[in-house]
Amino acid sequence: MSTHTALYPGSFDPVHYGHIDIAQRAAKIFERLIVGVYDRPGKSLFFSTEVRLTLMRSVLQDLPNVEVCAYSGLTVAFAKSIQAQVLVRGLRVVSDFELEYQMALTNQQLYPELDTVCLMTRHEYAFLSSSLIKEIFMVGGDVGKMVPAIVQKALADRLSQLRS
Ligand code: ADP
């Protein structure tokens, strides 16, 4: 059995089935998985960090070896602080690879003990992204096959908050 702690970081704005699938598969591979919800004070996100944390905790609550934490600053610094040896990322399309490759090599320079492991998406989630989901939802489209009910409810609440 592996003794690794892995970090799966992201904005998760909001979490969708593609993210959940990666977290579930990573939780089977690594002994302990920390899902890091990136708190980006400088960037305008649709959901607050608190809401993104609550949604992620709720959708992953059945996985006993998974913890969900918020973090800010450098991802490698957070990885070091939780003694993670592995950084988990998901790959959808070739354009993801270019970015992930660049990030992995940069992180290698900053923290050589940390290895990046990329898991391939499932084909049914290959075109799923948080930004696409928000766009579809904003114009009244059905996102029921892309996000769990709790996320759909959060999208509706946030939209009515923005429109009031
Ligand atoms: P970012 O880390 O750029 O803020 P996200 O929060 O959307 O992006 O995603 C976090 C991680 O999940 C990234 O590694 C991303 O490639 C991966 N991911 C996003 N969507 C999918 C998907 N549909 N299938 C597999 N992995 C995905």
Side-chain angles (χ1 to χ4, degrees):
M1 152 107 56
S2 155
T3 55
H4 278 107
T5 292
L7 169 64
Y8 177 36
S11 308
F12 307 114
D13 188 41
V15 57
H16 54 64
Y17 284 130
H19 296 134
I20 295 170
D21 174 61
I22 297 290
Q24 286 170 335
R25 287 157 59 200
K28 282 190 197 154
I29 300 171
F30 303 104
E31 193 171 277
R32 178 171 170 244
L33 180 72
I34 310 291
V35 177
V37 176
Y38 191 31
D39 184 11
R40 273 193 240 212
K43 197 185 167 195
S44 73
L45 292 161
F46 194 70
F47 289 106
S48 67
T49 302
E50 289 66 33
V51 171
R52 288 179 290 129
L53 264 179
T54 304
L55 293 176
M56 188 59 94
R57 284 193 177 127
S58 164
V59 299
L60 300 181
Q61 63 186 345
D62 293 336
L63 299 174
N65 60 335
V66 175
E67 282 166 59
V68 182
C69 308
Y71 78 98
S72 54
L74 270 183
T75 300
V76 289
F78 179 59
K80 214 175 215 172
S81 75
I82 58 167
Q83 294 174 320
Q85 300 97 335
V86 171
L87 197 67
V88 173
R89 299 289 290 172
L91 285 185
R92 284 164 293 189
V93 287
V94 177
S95 54
D96 272 353
F97 173 77
E98 284 179 31
L99 192 72
E100 295 298 339
Y101 183 67
Q102 192 182 15
M103 248 170 16
L105 293 194
T106 307
N107 287 338
Q108 224 175 60
Q109 297 272 311
L110 296 169
Y111 182 19
E113 289 79 17
L114 187 71
D115 260 313
T116 298
V117 170
C118 291
L119 299 181
M120 306 304 144
T121 187
R122 286 196 195 285
H123 67 89
E124 61 265 43
Y125 303 138
F127 294 100
L128 214 48
S129 73
S130 297
S131 44
L132 191 70
I133 288 163
K134 284 177 284 195
E135 257 177 60
I136 294 170
F137 192 81
M138 298 286 249
V139 292
D142 181 8
V143 295
K145 288 199 169 74
M146 304 173 191
V147 295
I150 189 175
V151 177
Q152 272 192 79
K153 162 110 182 33
L155 281 162
D157 290 349
R158 181 73 179 122
L159 197 59
S160 65
Q161 198 181 45
L162 289 172
R163 285 182 176 161
S164 67

